[in-house]
């Protein structure tokens, strides 16, 4: 068999790789939307389901992927990467995963392109479907909402793993050998998250400070900007802004032959020449995407799902977008602008962009303070009592002041001038370790952290059962039991005895009458 | 040909058995199912589309992907349900294994019946543990979820070795390779069986059943 690839095979292979790359991006991004994906099987081939798999095409995602590829295909040294990151409502972001589609030089000349390679690419996509549900970022993405969102960014070129922190792990999804090289699909994911259970994100405020390396500036300022795309744009916007997939979609191969290769010509693919990389400039794409802005505004997939919100169906998206805007606006006043990228209307997004890098000001920290009332950590700079007294009407408040005085002066509890961002760090770190403890000894210098009494709800601010229990574990001693006081008054008692006796003698008759009533 | 054999082991609590088994079996079958074949003239065929859906587990912190086929799901649930009941009823220390075997049929001449030649066997060994309190159960939820993540990665690794797969059959042979009885997807011919190890753990006892797709009926 001729070892050189025929031109038809070459064309087919290029097409397969291109659409494989597009479908890979779709699978990854859809797996991080935060909702369950469901597509239907169809026994009759439709001609538009590449690799015989029902994978929906989100137009915005396809557009971004095509833009990143810019008419090229993954090749040696030029990998297609999808970066998944997390962004908190405070504006901090952290890379979670990098999915890489790479090509190396190892060729398999003998393999049949239109058959074996196609089927193996299909198998690889199925593996990708399975693996995307298995990395730690999946569970995080299912719980995204008020406190954080998951964003994606597609870039083409060298793989950059430095943003994943130390000790990241890699999982290989699979490889497919082709006559022009071997395609490898893999994922590198951050594992620091493994120490933070997903419950952290549900109950605690944002995790600022936990991952220290994510404050590092992005090492690749020249690469493509991240986009705050919200795929749930209205249908009208989609038609106007993005080329719908069907227009440029090439009909995928669905015909195979069990006959020898010489008869393969009878089952050739038909495709329409389509303009690759439809120019974004022509499509009225928002200005913000074309610019080389370094401010991080990755593609954002807003899913209010878990909070009982808006269903993510395109037909409902006009309402959804507005509801989402409102919801996001409520979560953090300053950062509400971040998430208002409901439609890619350029004016909104331009504002969003300019605000994003300046959004971090003092007030997020204020918000942090009030939220952190409940979290008590050792070495916390803010004494818990101070906060609780200020904000609360607690029962038995008159007994509390004694404890305040002690703790205010205690340097262990109230270290001077520690930055506020440490408290969530310490509080969260300690909460990981101490959740199993059950008793607290408040005589210690260390304040017991995170004492979680069973069946107590945390949602009644700001005092919870644990704090209450800790504070009132040591009530003041009864005065009559105190020996000091007893000793002092002994002398006084002796002196006053004669007077008391005199008084009692006067009332003898009353006492007698009383005694008689008892008999 | 040699039959490829893979073994996976999991330790689960009683109520997690079904979901854990379904997760593993569906993940395997996701890779071993194609769309329905439609044969045309000249020996060509086209393939239908396979849809997928995410399934959240109730008792495990885990989500798996399965093919969108209610028939296939029902068949697997039935098999897993029987396995679970057998495990529960066996007494003993709750150990057993369920096997998913992919095979090809080879026609034999009369009077011999068709042969079933396995080409891949997946065995899942299950160890059932019992837990004392809610806290342990919560930990178990997470641990089993992590374990299943590892199993999925193992399965994907095996699948992507691209080792032996039956050749794509002609129209007349398709039933020897694929299960064409489902209306929306077409998995390779498979059968599920299970064994319960007795409390001594030494020998395999009693229940050995062929549940589905037993093609020996004459």
């Amino acid at each position: 068999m001729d070892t050189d690839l025929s031109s038809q095979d070459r064309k087919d292979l290029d097409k397969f790789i291109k659409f494989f790359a597009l479908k890979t991006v779709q699978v990854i991004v859809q797996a991080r939307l935060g909702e369950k994906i469901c597509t239907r099987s169809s026994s009759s081939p439709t001609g538009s389901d590449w690799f015989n798999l029902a994978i929906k095409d989100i137009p915005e995602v396809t557009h971004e992927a095509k833009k990143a590829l810019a008419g090229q295909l993954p090749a040696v040294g030029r990998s297609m990467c999808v970066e998944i990151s997390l962004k908190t409502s405070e504006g901090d972001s952290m890379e979670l995963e990098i999915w890489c589609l790479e090509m190396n030089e190892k060729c398999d000349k003998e393999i049949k392109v239109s058959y074996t390679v196609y089927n193996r690419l299909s198998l690889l996509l199925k593996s990708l479907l399975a693996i995307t549900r298995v990395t730690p970022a999946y569970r995080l993405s299912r719980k995204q909402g008020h406190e954080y969102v998951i964003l994606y960014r597609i870039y083409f070129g060298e793989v950059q793993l430095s943003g994943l922190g130390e000790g990241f792990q890699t999982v290989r999804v699979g490889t497919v050998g082709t006559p022009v090289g071997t395609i490898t699909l893999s994922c590198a994911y951050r594992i620091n998250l493994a120490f933070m259970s997903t419950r952290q994100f549900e109950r605690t405020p944002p995790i600022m400070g936990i991952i220290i390396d994510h404050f590092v500036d992005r090492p690749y300022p020249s690469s493509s900007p991240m986009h705050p795309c919200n795929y749930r744009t209205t249908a009208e916007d989609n038609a106007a802004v993005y080329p719908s997939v069907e227009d440029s979609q090439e009909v995928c191969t669905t015909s195979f032959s069990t006959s020898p290769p010489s008869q393969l010509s009878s089952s050739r693919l038909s495709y329409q020449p389509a303009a690759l990389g439809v120019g974004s400039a022509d499509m009225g794409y928002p200005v913000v995407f074309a610019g080389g802005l370094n401010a991080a505004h990755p593609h954002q997939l807003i899913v209010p799902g878990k909070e009982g919100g808006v269903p993510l169906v395109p037909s409902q998206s006009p309402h959804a977008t507005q509801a989402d805007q409102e919801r996001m606006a409520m979560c953090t006043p300053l950062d509400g602008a971040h998430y208002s990228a409901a439609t890619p209307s350029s004016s909104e997004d331009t504002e969003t962009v300019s605000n994003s890098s300046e959004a971090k000001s003092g007030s997020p920290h204020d918000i942090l303070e009030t939220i952190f009332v409940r979290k008590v950590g050792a070495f916390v700079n803010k004494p818990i009592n101070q906060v609780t007294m200020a904000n609360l009407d607690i029962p038995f408040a008159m007994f509390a002041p004694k404890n305040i005085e002690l703790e205010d002066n205690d340097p262990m509890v109230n270290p001077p001038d520690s930055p506020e961002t440490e408290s969530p760090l310490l509080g969260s770190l300690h909460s990981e370790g101490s959740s199993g403890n059950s008793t607290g000894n408040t005589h210690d210098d260390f304040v017991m952290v995170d004492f979680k009494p069973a069946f107590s709800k945390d949602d009644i601010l700001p005092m919870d059962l644990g704090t209450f229990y800790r504070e009132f574990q040591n009530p003041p001693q009864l005065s009559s039991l105190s020996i000091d006081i007893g000793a002092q008054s002994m002398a006084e008692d002796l002196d006053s005895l004669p007077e008391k006796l005199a008084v009692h003698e006067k009332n003898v008759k009353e006492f007698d009458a009383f005694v008689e009533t008892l008999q | 040909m040699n039959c490829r054999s893979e073994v996976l082991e999991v330790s689960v609590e009683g109520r997690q058995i079904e979901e854990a088994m379904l997760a593993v079996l569906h993940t395997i079958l996701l890779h071993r199912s194609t769309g329905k074949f439609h044969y045309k003239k000249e020996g060509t065929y086209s393939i239908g589309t396979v849809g997928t859906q995410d399934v959240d587990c109730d008792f495990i912190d885990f989500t798996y992907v399965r093919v969108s086929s209610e028939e296939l799901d029902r068949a697997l649930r039935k098999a897993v349900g029987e396995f679970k009941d057998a495990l529960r009823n066996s007494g003993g220390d709750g150990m057993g294994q369920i096997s998913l075997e992919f095979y090809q049929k080879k026609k034999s001449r009369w009077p011999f019946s068709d042969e079933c030649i396995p080409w891949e066997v997946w065995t899942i060994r299950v160890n059932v543990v019992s837990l004392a309190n809610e806290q342990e159960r919560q930990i178990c939820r997470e641990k089993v979820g992590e374990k299943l993540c590892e199993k999925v990665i193992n399965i994907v690794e095996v699948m992507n070795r691209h080792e032996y797969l039956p050749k794509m059959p002609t129209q007349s042979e398709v039933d020897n390779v694929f299960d064409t009885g489902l209306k929306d997807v077409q998995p390779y011919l498979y059968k599920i069986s299970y064994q319960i190890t007795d409390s001594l753990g030494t020998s395999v006892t009693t229940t050995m059943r062929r549940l589905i797709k037993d093609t020996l009926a004459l």
Side-chain angles (χ1 to χ4, degrees):
Chain A
M1 182 180 171
D2 190 1
T3 51
D4 286 338
L5 212 52
S6 72
S7 67
Q8 186 58 54
D9 270 348
R10 183 66 207 239
K11 276 191 209 163
D12 287 346
L13 185 61
D14 286 347
K15 205 147 58 86
F16 293 169
I17 295 176
K18 172 190 156 198
F19 279 95
F20 178 75
L22 295 177
K23 287 293 180 182
T24 295
V25 174
Q26 289 286 348
V27 169
I28 294 168
V29 170
Q30 288 175 27
R32 297 288 175 262
L33 291 178
E35 54 170 13
K36 294 202 292 189
I37 304 295
C38 179
T39 56
R40 296 186 61 178
S41 302
S42 161
S43 64
S44 338
T46 57
S48 64
D49 289 324
W50 275 93
F51 308 105
N52 309 118
L53 282 173
I55 299 172
K56 282 194 190 119
D57 283 317
I58 300 174
E60 187 179 273
V61 175
T62 304
H63 185 90
E64 286 304 316
K66 282 185 172 170
K67 210 159 64 107
L69 287 172
Q72 296 176 317
L73 291 176
V76 179
R78 289 200 320 259
S79 311
M80 189 189 74
C81 301
V82 181
E83 179 188 293
I84 301 289
S85 58
L86 176 149
K87 187 170 179 185
T88 65
S89 55
E90 304 291 315
D92 295 302
S93 66
M94 173 171 71
E95 279 177 37
L96 298 178
E97 302 172 319
I98 312 261
W99 297 84
C100 309
L101 179 59
E102 299 166 299
M103 181 80 102
N104 70 26
E105 289 151 345
K106 189 173 161 201
C107 301
D108 183 348
K109 299 275 186 200
E110 304 296 321
I111 202 167
K112 280 200 280 189
V113 168
S114 69
Y115 169 68
T116 310
V117 170
Y118 190 83
N119 285 336
R120 286 188 181 175
L121 288 174
S122 175
L123 192 72
L124 188 52
L125 271 179
K126 291 175 184 169
S127 298
L128 182 65
L129 280 164
I131 296 284
T132 43
R133 274 65 174 171
V134 146
T135 53
Y138 179 72
R139 299 217 73 80
L140 279 176
S141 67
R142 288 292 298 270
K143 293 180 164 75
Q144 65 180 298
H146 286 295
E147 290 172 4
Y148 63 91
V149 288
I150 303 292
L151 308 160
Y152 74 95
R153 182 173 78 94
I154 308 169
Y155 63 90
F156 193 70
E158 292 267 338
V159 182
Q160 287 138 7
L161 300 175
S162 50
L164 292 175
E166 282 182 17
F168 62 86
Q169 286 193 356
T170 313
V171 61
R172 195 167 78 161
V173 183
T175 61
V176 173
T178 75
V180 300
T182 300
I183 296 170
T184 306
L185 186 52
S186 60
C187 172
Y189 58 93
R190 174 187 283 276
I191 58 163
N192 303 26
L193 290 173
F195 298 117
M196 287 186 287
S197 75
T198 50
R199 283 172 292 176
Q200 288 275 343
F201 286 96
E202 284 171 40
R203 287 194 346 232
T204 66
I207 47 146
M208 254 168 47
I210 293 268
I211 303 299
I212 299 163
D213 59 89
H214 81 277
F215 286 116
V216 172
D217 283 342
R218 293 205 171 274
Y220 37 87
S222 59
S223 61
S224 64
M226 295 186 133
H227 308 290
C229 294
N230 178 354
Y231 85 106
R232 293 186 298 107
T233 52
T234 59
E236 309 91 65
D237 282 341
N238 271 345
V241 178
Y242 310 112
S244 68
V245 176
E246 284 70 66
D247 292 341
S248 60
Q249 178 79 14
E250 299 164 17
V251 174
C252 61
T253 175
T254 53
S255 263
F256 296 87
S257 174
T258 51
S259 354
S262 57
Q263 295 182 17
L264 271 177
S265 54
S266 62
S267 63
R268 272 305 149 198
L269 317 165
S270 67
Y271 60 91
Q272 306 142 15
L276 281 179
V278 179
S280 59
D282 299 335
M283 302 313 294
Y285 216 109
V287 170
V288 64
F289 299 131
L293 295 161
N294 293 339
H297 42 287
H299 289 286
Q300 167 190 313
L301 314 165
I302 299 178
V303 180
K306 287 289 164 286
E307 278 65 48
V310 187
L312 289 156
V313 175
S315 59
Q316 299 182 29
S317 48
H319 308 286
T321 352
Q322 193 186 356
D324 192 56
Q325 278 186 339
E326 290 164 1
R327 180 183 66 79
M328 283 302 184
M330 279 188 319
C331 75
T332 309
L334 270 184
D335 295 336
H338 280 230
Y339 305 116
S340 67
T343 61
S345 55
S346 49
S347 56
E348 255 182 4
D349 277 350
T350 319
E351 288 167 8
T352 306
V353 165
S354 56
N355 285 340
S356 63
S357 42
E358 294 128 31
K360 239 210 227 176
S361 67
S363 45
H365 294 288
D366 295 334
I367 298 171
L368 251 183
E369 281 175 26
T370 52
I371 296 170
F372 270 113
V373 159
R374 289 177 280 134
K375 267 285 182 259
V376 179
F379 316 113
V380 166
N381 64 335
K382 202 170 267 300
I384 51 163
N385 300 307
Q386 185 178 355
V387 180
T388 54
M389 291 310 114
N391 297 344
L392 256 230
D393 180 22
I394 57 165
F396 311 110
M398 62 183 85
F399 296 120
K402 234 182 186 174
N403 290 340
I404 285 184
E405 284 157 13
L406 292 172
E407 292 207 11
D408 260 356
N409 295 332
D410 186 352
M412 296 290 258
V413 174
N414 188 9
D417 297 332
S418 43
E420 281 147 7
T421 48
E422 276 182 25
S423 54
L425 165 70
L426 294 165
S428 299
L429 278 179
H430 280 283
S431 70
E432 269 305 301
S434 59
S435 56
N437 297 350
S438 56
T439 55
N441 185 356
T442 52
H443 286 297
D444 289 348
D445 289 336
F446 298 107
V447 177
M448 233 301 292
V449 306
D450 234 4
F451 167 46
K452 289 192 183 85
F455 307 114
S456 77
K457 274 196 183 173
D458 246 357
D459 53 359
I460 303 169
L461 280 173
M463 170 78 83
D464 66 354
L465 183 59
T467 320
F468 174 77
Y469 182 76
R470 256 200 312 279
E471 281 176 15
F472 299 116
Q473 245 183 344
N474 291 318
Q477 259 203 328
L478 293 175
S479 56
S480 55
L481 296 178
S482 153
I483 298 172
D484 294 339
I485 300 170
Q488 278 171 7
S489 63
M490 184 78 135
E492 291 166 9
D493 284 344
L494 287 172
D495 289 339
S496 64
L497 266 179
E499 294 164 15
K500 286 185 186 170
L501 282 173
V503 168
H504 291 323
E505 277 180 19
K506 277 189 208 165
N507 300 329
V508 159
K509 282 181 191 166
E510 285 179 33
F511 288 134
D512 287 343
F514 174 66
V515 168
E516 282 193 16
T517 62
L518 293 175
Q519 287 170 355
Chain B
M1 89 208 60
N2 290 325
C3 172
R4 204 161 47 238
S5 175
E6 306 290 337
V7 178
L8 306 165
E9 294 194 31
V10 286
S11 286
V12 293
E13 200 205 354
R15 58 187 186 166
Q16 294 172 324
I17 298 173
E18 281 192 78
E19 288 180 335
M21 295 301 103
L22 282 171
V24 173
L25 294 175
H26 269 302
T27 301
I28 297 169
L29 276 164
L30 169 69
H31 290 81
R32 292 284 180 250
S33 301
T34 73
K36 299 281 291 179
F37 282 14
H38 297 274
Y39 285 93
K40 298 181 273 201
K41 295 174 198 172
E42 301 166 0
T44 63
Y45 61 96
S46 59
I47 307 182
T49 301
V50 172
T52 57
Q53 59 187 82
D54 291 334
V55 181
D56 287 336
C57 295
D58 293 325
F59 300 110
I60 312 174
D61 286 344
F62 188 69
T63 302
Y64 62 92
V65 182
R66 67 168 176 90
V67 293
S68 292
S69 166
E70 293 309 316
E71 287 176 274
L72 185 63
D73 190 39
R74 268 199 300 272
L76 288 188
R77 280 180 188 274
K78 184 163 173 251
V80 167
E82 294 189 22
F83 173 62
K84 185 192 83 170
D85 291 338
L87 262 183
R88 288 251 168 104
N89 296 337
S90 69
D93 56 359
M95 285 183 62
Q97 62 183 46
I98 191 166
S99 297
L100 172 61
E101 178 189 301
F102 292 102
Y103 65 94
Q104 272 180 272
K105 267 197 285 186
K106 191 172 157 200
K107 299 270 185 218
S108 302
R109 291 197 199 165
W110 185 88
F112 302 107
S113 57
D114 294 339
E115 272 183 87
C116 293
I117 306 170
W119 52 271
E120 187 174 76
V121 178
W122 294 84
T123 304
I124 310 157
R125 294 211 181 113
V126 181
N127 177 31
V128 182
V129 298
S130 47
L131 301 173
N133 60 42
E134 201 51 45
Q135 197 175 3
E136 283 185 29
R137 282 202 191 96
Q138 182 60 35
I139 296 172
C140 192
R141 272 185 78 100
E142 295 171 10
K143 286 235 151 62
V144 173
E146 286 165 24
K147 271 286 164 202
L148 287 177
C149 290
E150 285 173 32
K151 301 304 158 199
V152 166
I153 294 175
N154 293 345
I155 293 169
V156 162
E157 197 191 359
V158 170
M159 295 296 180
N160 274 276
R161 286 183 207 152
H162 301 303
E163 289 168 342
Y164 172 79
L165 279 181
K167 254 188 351 201
M168 284 300 153
T170 57
Q171 190 167 11
S172 54
E173 297 275 306
V174 69
D175 288 310
N176 293 340
V177 175
F178 286 102
D179 174 2
T180 52
L182 302 171
K183 70 175 197 295
D184 42 15
V185 295
Q186 189 174 289
Y188 282 99
L189 279 173
Y190 71 94
K191 57 177 97 156
I192 299 180
S193 56
Y194 62 84
Q195 301 168 355
I196 310 293
T197 44
D198 63 6
S199 48
L200 295 176
T202 51
S203 59
V204 171
T205 59
T206 60
T207 358
M208 183 81 175
R209 284 219 215 143
R210 301 226 176 269
L211 292 172
I212 306 169
K213 304 303 172 219
D214 187 358
T215 59
L216 292 176
L218 288 174

